[in-house]
Amino acid sequence: MPYWHTPAAMGWVGGLGMLLLMVVILAAVVVVAVVLTRRGPQSPDPADTARRILDERFARGEIDQEEYERRRDALTRAS
């Protein structure tokens, strides 16, 4: 015997509540996905990598101060 015609049945309010619950769960999943992707490892900026390499070459003495400043200025203008 079906029970959906009894006074205890929730009718359309139950369906609306279920729809609302599904929307809330979907929104929570989207928020978690966005938070996890933003916290992931960030790829280094190519200009930062080039500047780091330039700094290392200057520190090792491979290039002099004039060459270092010229290349650093070129990198700054490029970014």
Side-chain angles (χ1 to χ4, degrees), residues 54 57 63 66-75:
L54 183 64
R57 289 187 64 199
I63 56 175
E66 181 181 324
E67 179 74 10
Y68 171 78
E69 290 172 356
R70 185 177 64 78
R71 290 181 183 217
R72 182 193 64 205
D73 293 341
L75 285 174

Side-chain angles (χ1 to χ4, degrees), residues 19 29 36 50-51 56 61 69:
L19 180 65
V29 168
L36 290 178
R51 176 66 188 266
E56 289 173 1
E69 290 172 356

Side-chain angles (χ1 to χ4, degrees), residues 5-69:
H5 295 294
T6 64
M10 296 177 68
W12 64 273
V13 176
L16 185 63
M18 185 61 85
L19 180 65
L20 183 64
L21 180 63
M22 291 172 64
V23 168
V24 168
I25 290 173
L26 181 63
V29 168
V30 169
V31 167
V32 168
V34 167
V35 167
L36 290 178
T37 56
R38 288 190 179 176
R39 285 187 168 191
Q42 303 293 326
S43 61
D45 184 23
D48 291 339
T49 304
R51 176 66 188 266
R52 184 181 49 80
I53 292 170
L54 183 64
D55 290 344
E56 289 173 1
R57 289 187 64 199
F58 180 64
R60 286 193 299 260
E62 295 178 12
I63 56 175
D64 61 359
Q65 184 172 356
E66 181 181 324
E67 179 74 10
Y68 171 78
E69 290 172 356

